[in-house]
Every structure is written in structure tokens, then in C-alpha cells.
């Protein structure tokens, strides 16, 4: 169990490419932090720097208040689960799990006991003598987890550990990882590009983009108050709709003529208006607060229906999430009313949220700030 | 491809049998000749059937000093074995370490080192044999096992093969090992070596044969029969004009010279098959 503190961490690769431009983050004891962002944004780089597999170009990394910048991975007392599991192919499951203990000089009997205990915890008892290639993908994933757990590290690091599994197993393992992490109380950093995985796992989410942190916060905070257009578009599925809007007499006016009353105090003349698909509701009559749209595609999902619609003067189609099974078909005209209390306004140029004074403050626990 | 045509079957079998005969006949002749006495070998043409000596000729070359050689074949076999084993093991150890350094470590001039090793692929022993001889002589290595082994102990080929294999090892394996607290030696011993078992076995066979079959270098560097290798001795047995060539001894020695390489191949072949069956990685 441990706290982590990242202070202005930068990474410049030997080829001159700067993958991380100063990452600040304080991670609390026992917290499960999920780092999420599009491919290539530097998530793996960050995780590998925490692990000690990649050198830290600048800044300071501390575990439990102790600077670990220059420590070897093994000395940092972390465990890592790799995307392709990286199990030792010639060793049995038991040897794979016990290898770190063996390197630490733990006596054989104790090693065996710990491995068996962990195997029971994650349901691997019957597979201890198998080789990795005799296991299914899900079982390998479990072994990789077991290998991390058995050493009782201070920090778990996961790099997209579920991306090689099928959808069902992914959901199952996701729940199990969350359960195990809470049960063991070990601080964990989990990297993924899958925002659903991120939302369901995280105590706090770190959204990254192009080597920067865009926002840190609980999944619900990020969902409800995304600090930037990037976060707004990344968190939530289907993604948020964005419309250009102008300010008119305290209301927002869309190019199509719709006016939306807003309580936001906005000083910009033109803004980017964000509306989540679930905050568009279908109405039967058009008025000046509704959007008149033409249906392009209907995705009935059972519990709800996704309607991809086109709004006049708008390049990107909008997506609306409508309750239950809806009698709509391609080509229909659909009247949609945005929920005025759940709008998001972003600066057109910077993409920053407009109504948020404390955009840059990352809600983090006071205790870990002491480090 | 399989064609069901009787004519083709017969033809291909005929070719195979001919090739087999061409290969086996000399071995057969050596074997039968080794069981005759010298007199009968000089009174008839090459005998196709066994003579009356049984294994007596083998016994005598193994236990008594052979004329013209000044030592018995047991000693020659020992010398050859020491040389072949030394070369095979040395080459493999050095190649493993060199390839390990080149693939897994970042050090200055790494690329240059690799290319230097690679270039020596183009320089067989014979090209550099005179300067090598001079160095060996200056270091007092003539007539010694060290002299037989050391100049042949580094292998660019083996280094290159190990490098190619190491490049296919997923980098995450190294990273996992680092996180698990394995230093460079442990990673080599616990992970890389077990994974390269089959490569090592294959190279061992090839390098053992290479060492066993060395002729020019042992010929140059040994003048005393105590350090002569069996391959060199065969030429020596044939090459003097003063009296009749003792064909029965030559044949017995030749057959004995074949045994260790054959044994290595047979033993290692079983290992290959095993390695292939539970091929891992
Ligand atoms: N060894 C390296 N040398 C140079 N650039 C690298 C190296 N590794 C990664 N990068 C670059 O750093 C950026 C971030 O990579 P990575 O952390 O792997 O992204 P992610 O895991 O978020 O997909 C990418 O643009 C990638 O091309
Ligand atoms: Mg990655």
C-alpha cells in the first residue's frame, strides 16, 4: 500500500520526441487510478516510467514520499501486468508466479505456500502445473494477475491488460480486477484506451491527450463537468454532440434558429455547445426550443434507441439516445429538445469549459498532497 | 505432392537406392577391409565380405601404438574429442554472451561491434591461418590443447544466429523479468537460456562436427603425436613411401573417427525432436 506523487514528469525519447510534457498527479493510498486517452497520447510511457522501465527525463516521482526516479523496477516494489501478459513460456504457472519471490530469496516452502494462496484467491489452483501455452487467454490473464498479486507490491500497474480478451471476458475480468484491488487495498494505476472500462473501474480518472493531462477526477465528475471539449468527447458513449452557438440576449442561438435558455454566464459571442445524446429528448411538436432533425440511421439497442440525425447547417450528424423502442425510421423528421440544465459550453478556440472557474484544479485528496 | 503412378514410384525408388548404395558402399568396404589382415588385402581386390580378424584390428589400433603415428588411436580420439568439445562449447558460450550483449545492452559502439563480428563471417580460418600461427607460436601454444582450441573458439556465425533468435524474444519478457527482480545474469540464466535450448543443441552439433573435422589448423600446430587429432592421423597413415600402407589399420581408424560425430548427431537428434515437440515460445 502506498501513495504516489508525480511532479512535473517529462519524457523525451532519445530520438528527440517528447511524449510527456509535465505530468502532475497525486495518488492516494489504495486508490485505483485509471489513465485513459487515445492511442499514442503517452499512457504507456507514463506507466513505464512509474515502473522504472523507462527513464524519467525530468521531474520527480515519489512512492510513499521517497524519491524513486533512479531506482530499478524491482527496487520500487511495484508489479506490472502487461498487455500480452509476458508470461515466461518455459515455466509452469506456479514458477511464473513465484519467480519474483525466488529472486528475492524467499525460501521454497514459503514461496509454494504464497503461490498456492494466491492461486486460490483468483481460481488458478488446478492450473499451477500447466505451461502458459496450455492456457486460454483468460487464464493467462489470471496468471499475469496472480504473478502481480503474489509479491504483495506497493503498487499495481496495468497496461491495457484486458485488450486481448473477448468482450464478455473483458467485462468479467474488469469486475474481478476491481474486486481484487479493493480487497487487497493495493494502490493501482490502470491504463486503457477504452472509456467504458475506465469509467467502471476508476476511483479517479486521468484523461490524457497528446502528452498532457486534460483532467483528473471521479468518473461522474468527468461525465458531468468535463473540463474541456476533448474530455467531453472522450468520456461517455455515444460521444457528446457539439454544436456551434451564438449568444443572443442571454440565450444561446443555434444557426438553425433554435434558442436555448441557459443559466451559464457566458461572455463569449460564439461558443461550442455540448449536448450528450441522453440529454436530447423527443417531443411531438416543434417550437423554438427544439431541434428539427432528419433521421439518418436508427440503432435499436432494446433498452434504448440511438438515433443518428442530421440538423440543417450542421456538418456532423447528432446522436440522440431515446428511451425504449422508438417507432422511428430513416428519413423521418424528429423533434429533439435539449435538456437546458445539462448543457456544456466550451471556448471555440481553446476548447476549455466556459462556466468553470476551477477548471485547472484537480480534485485530489489532501493527504497525498503532503508528499 | 503425391502422384499415384507406379512408374514414377519405381523410378524414384531406383534413384534413392542408387544414392544409398553410393553412400554406403565405401563405408561397407571400410568395414569389411578392417576385418582382414594386411596380407589378404594385398593379394586380392577390395574384399566385399568380412575377413578372419574379427574386431582384432580395432582392438590393436586402440590399444597399441600404431606404426607411423607413434601413438594409439585412443589417444587420438581423446585429442579430437577435447578439441571438438572445446571448440563447440567455447563457440556457443562466447556466441551466447556476445549476442546477449549486442541485443540487450545499450553501450557505446554497439553497432560497430556487431558489424566487426559480422564482417569476420567472411574470414574463414584458412585466410588468417599464418598470422594466427605466428601468434600461437609466440604464445607457446604449439602442441597444446589451448593451441588447438583457442584460435577457433569465436564464431561469428553462431553469434549471428543467437542474435537473430534473441531479436524474436518479446521485449516484455525482459521487462517482466526486470520487474520481477531478475538482473542481467538471472535473465540470461532463467529465461533466455531455457528458451534457446533447441538453438543451442543445433549449434552444438554443427560446431562439434566443425571442430572434429578441422584438418589444416591441427596439422600446423601439432608436431608431437601426443596432440595429434584423428583426422590428421588418417593422412599420416597413408603418406609414407617406405613400406606398404596398412589398409586394415587405416580402415579401422577411419571407422573409429566416424563414431563420435555419429554418436553426437544421434544423441542430439533425439533432443531436437523433443525440443520440436514441446516447442515453446
Ligand atoms: N521508444 C520510443 N521512442 C520514440 N518515441 C516513442 C517510443 N515509445 C513511444 N514513443 C512515442 O510516444 C508516444 C506515446 O506512446 P505510448 O506511451 O506508447 O502511447 P499510448 O500507450 O498512449 O498509446 C507515441 O507517439 C509514440 O510514438
Ligand atoms: Mg500503450
Amino acid at each position: 500500500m502506498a501513495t504516489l506523487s508525480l511532479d512535473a514528469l517529462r519524457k523525451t525519447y532519445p530520438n528527440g520526441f517528447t511524449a510527456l510534457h509535465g505530468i502532475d498527479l497525486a495518488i492516494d493510498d489504495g486508490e485505483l487510478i485509471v489513465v485513459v486517452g487515445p492511442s499514442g497520447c503517452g499512457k504507456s510511457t507514463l506507466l513505464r516510467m512509474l515502473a522504472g522501465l523507462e527513464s524519467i527525463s525530468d521531474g520527480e516521482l515519489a512512492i510513499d514520499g521517497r524519491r524513486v526516479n533512479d531506482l530499478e523496477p524491482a527496487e520500487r516494489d511495484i508489479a506490472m501486468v502487461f498487455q500480452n501478459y509476458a508470461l515466461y513460456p518455459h515455466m509452469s504457472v506456479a514458477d511464473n508466479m513465484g519467480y519474483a519471490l525466488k529472486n528475492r530469496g524467499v525460501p521454497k516452502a514459503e514461496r509454494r505456500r504464497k503461490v498456492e494462496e494466491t492461486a486460490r484467491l483468483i481460481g488458478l489452483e488446478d492450473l499451477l502445473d500447466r505451461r502458459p501455452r496450455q492456457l486460454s487467454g483468460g487464464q493467462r490473464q489470471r496468471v499475469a494477475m496472480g504473478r502481480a498479486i503474489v509479491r504483495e507490491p506497493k503498487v499495481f500497474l496495468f497496461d491495457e491488460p484486458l485488450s486481448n480478451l473477448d468482450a464478455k471476458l473483458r467485462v468479467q475480468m474488469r469486475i474481478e480486477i476491481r474486486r481484487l484491488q479493493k480487497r487487497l487495498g493495493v494502490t493501482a494505476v490502470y491504463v486503457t484506451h477504452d472509456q467504458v472500462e475506465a469509467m467502471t473501474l476508476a476511483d479517479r480518472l486521468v484523461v490524457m491527450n497528446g502528452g498532457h493531462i486534460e483532467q483528473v477526477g471521479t468518473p461522474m465528475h468527468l461525465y458531468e463537468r468535463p473540463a474541456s471539449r476533448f474530455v467531453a468527447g472522450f468520456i461517455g458513449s455515444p460521444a457528446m454532440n457539439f454544436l456551434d452557438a451564438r449568444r443572443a440576449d442571454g440565450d444561446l442561438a443555434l444557426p438553425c434558429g433554435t434558442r436555448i435558455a441557459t443559466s451559464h454566464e457566458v461572455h463569449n459571442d460564439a461558443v461550442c455547445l455540448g449536448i450528450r445524446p441522453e440529454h436530447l429528448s423527443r417531443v411531438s411538436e416543434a417550437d423554438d426550443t427544439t431541434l428539427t432533425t432528419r433521421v439518418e440511421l436508427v440503432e435499436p439497442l432494446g433498452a434504448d434507441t440511438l438515433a443518428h440525425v442530421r440538423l440543417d447547417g450542421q456538418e456532423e450528424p447528432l446522436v440522440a439516445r431515446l428511451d425504449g423502442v422508438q417507432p422511428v425510421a430513416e428519413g423521418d423528421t424528429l423533434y429533439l429538445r435539449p435538456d437546458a440544465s445539462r448543457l456544456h459550453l466550451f471556448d471555440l478556440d481553446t476548447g476549455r469549459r466556459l462556466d468553470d472557474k476551477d477548471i485547472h484544479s484537480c480534485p485530489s485528496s489532501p493527504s497525498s498532497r503532503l508528499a | 505432392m503425391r502422384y499415384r503412378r507406379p512408374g514414377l514410384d519405381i523410378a524414384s525408388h531406383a534413384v534413392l537406392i542408387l544414392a544409398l548404395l553410393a553412400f554406403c558402399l565405401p563405408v561397407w568396404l571400410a568395414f569389411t577391409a578392417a576385418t582382414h589382415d594386411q596380407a589378404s588385402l594385398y593379394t586380392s581386390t577390395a574384399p566385399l565380405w568380412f575377413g578372419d580378424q574379427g574386431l582384432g584390428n580395432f582392438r590393436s589400433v586402440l590399444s597399441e601404438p600404431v606404426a607411423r603415428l607413434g601413438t594409439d588411436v585412443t589417444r587420438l580420439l581423446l585429442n579430437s574429442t577435447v578439441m571438438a568439445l572445446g571448440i563447440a562449447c567455447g563457440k556457443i558460450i562466447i556466441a551466447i554472451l556476445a549476442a546477449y550483449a549486442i541485443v540487450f545492452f545499450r553501450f557505446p559502439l554497439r553497432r560497430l561491434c556487431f558489424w566487426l563480428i559480422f564482417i569476420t563471417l567472411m574470414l574463414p580460418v584458412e585466410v588468417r591461418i599464418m598470422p594466427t600461427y605466428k601468434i600461437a607460436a609466440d604464445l607457446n601454444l604449439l602442441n597444446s590443447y589451448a593451441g588447438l582450441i583457442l584460435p577457433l573458439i569465436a564464431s561469428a556465425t553462431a553469434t549471428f544466429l543467437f542474435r537473430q533468435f534473441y531479436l524474436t524474444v518479446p521485449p516484455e519478457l525482459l521487462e517482466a523479468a526486470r520487474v520481477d527482480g531478475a538482473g542481467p545474469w538471472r535473465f540470461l540464466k532463467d529465461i533466455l537460456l531455457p528458451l534457446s535450448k533447441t538453438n543451442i543443441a543445433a549449434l552444438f552439433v554443427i560446431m562439434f562436427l566443425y571442430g572434429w573435422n578441422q584438418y589444416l589448423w591441427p596439422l600446423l600446430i601439432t608436431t608431437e603425436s601426443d596432440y595429434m587429432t584423428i583426422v590428421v592421423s588418417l593422412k599420416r597413415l597413408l603418406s609414407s613411401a617406405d613400406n606398404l600402407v596398412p589398409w586394415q589399420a587405416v580402415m579401422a581408424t577411419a571407422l573409429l573417427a566416424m563414431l563420435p560425430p555419429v554418436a553426437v548427431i544421434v544423441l542430439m537428434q533425439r533432443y531436437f525432436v523433443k525440443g520440436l515437440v514441446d516447442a515453446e515460445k
Side-chain angles (χ1 to χ4, degrees), chain A residues 82 103 112 137 289 298:
Chain A
F82 294 85
N103 285 334
R112 185 81 207 169
T289 65
V298 183

Side-chain angles (χ1 to χ4, degrees), chain B residues 125-151:
Chain B
V125 183
E126 290 72 17
V127 176
R128 55 182 166 90
I129 205 152
M130 284 310 155
T132 310
Y133 180 82
K134 173 85 172 90
I135 294 171
D138 290 349
L139 292 174
N140 278 330
L141 292 178
L142 303 185
N143 288 312
S144 72
Y145 286 137
L148 281 171
I149 295 169
L150 282 182

Side-chain angles (χ1 to χ4, degrees), chain A residues 43-45 83 159-160 191:
Chain A
K43 308 180 295 292
S44 297
T45 304
Q83 180 170 359
D159 193 353
E160 312 216 4
V191 160

Side-chain angles (χ1 to χ4, degrees), chain B residues 7-275:
Chain B
L8 201 66
D9 262 11
I10 291 170
S12 51
H13 275 88
V15 171
L16 282 175
I17 288 167
L18 271 178
L20 206 63
L21 277 180
F23 175 73
C24 287
L25 195 61
V27 180
W28 177 253
L29 283 180
F31 199 38
T32 53
T35 58
H36 285 265
D37 59 21
Q38 185 159 2
S40 70
L41 287 175
Y42 275 92
T43 51
S44 64
T45 51
L48 282 173
W49 198 246
F50 298 107
D52 51 5
Q53 297 294 306
L55 295 177
N57 287 327
F58 290 96
R59 221 171 286 130
S60 75
V61 293
L62 281 173
S63 55
E64 298 155 22
V66 179
R68 307 174 187 216
L69 296 182
T71 181
D72 55 50
V73 172
T74 311
R75 176 82 200 182
L76 299 176
L77 283 172
L78 175 74
N79 291 346
S80 275
T81 307
V82 168
M83 179 179 182
L85 276 181
I87 289 177
C89 296
K91 273 183 190 292
I92 286 173
I93 291 170
I94 291 175
I96 284 175
L97 293 178
Y100 186 45
I102 286 174
V103 175
F104 289 98
F105 292 84
R106 302 279 164 274
F107 53 90
L109 304 185
R110 176 168 143 267
R111 218 157 243 282
L112 181 72
C113 288
F114 172 69
W115 281 109
L116 284 178
I117 293 173
F118 194 66
I119 283 169
T120 61
L121 269 178
M122 291 182 273
L123 296 175
V125 183
E126 290 72 17
V127 176
R128 55 182 166 90
I129 205 152
M130 284 310 155
T132 310
Y133 180 82
K134 173 85 172 90
I135 294 171
D138 290 349
L139 292 174
N140 278 330
L141 292 178
L142 303 185
N143 288 312
S144 72
Y145 286 137
L148 281 171
I149 295 169
L150 282 182
L152 302 178
I153 206 169
S155 167
T157 323
T159 308
F160 189 69
L161 288 175
F162 276 113
R163 170 184 178 267
Q164 294 308 96
F165 171 69
Y166 290 164
L167 288 177
T168 68
V169 172
E172 286 85 0
L173 231 44
L174 171 65
E175 296 179 345
R178 280 180 70 191
V179 172
D180 276 349
W185 279 115
R186 283 232 175 101
F187 176 66
L188 180 67
K189 177 172 75 75
D190 292 344
I191 301 190
L192 224 40
L193 288 187
L195 287 179
S196 33
K197 267 191 318 205
T198 23
N199 293 44
I200 293 175
L203 272 172
F204 180 80
V205 171
I206 294 168
M207 293 309 171
F208 185 88
L209 295 184
Y210 170 87
W212 188 268
N213 291 332
Q214 280 303 312
Y215 177 69
L216 190 52
W217 180 250
L219 185 67
L220 280 178
I221 197 145
T222 59
T223 49
E224 291 167 18
S225 49
D226 271 356
Y227 289 98
M228 194 193 298
T229 64
I230 195 156
V231 176
V232 172
S233 80
L234 286 174
K235 173 74 174 74
R236 186 82 54 98
L237 275 175
L238 292 178
S239 71
S240 60
D242 52 349
N243 49 21
L244 295 176
V245 175
W247 281 113
Q248 78 293 356
V250 174
M251 292 307 182
T253 309
L255 285 172
L256 288 171
M258 267 172 46
L259 284 185
V262 169
V264 164
I265 292 175
V266 169
L267 283 176
M268 286 304 198
Q269 186 201 20
R270 279 175 46 201
Y271 188 86
F272 279 160
V273 175
K274 185 164 158 285

Side-chain angles (χ1 to χ4, degrees), chain A residues 13-15 17 19 38-46 160:
Chain A
Y13 278 110
N15 65 1
F17 178 78
S39 181
C41 70
K43 308 180 295 292
S44 297
T45 304
L46 177 62
E160 312 216 4

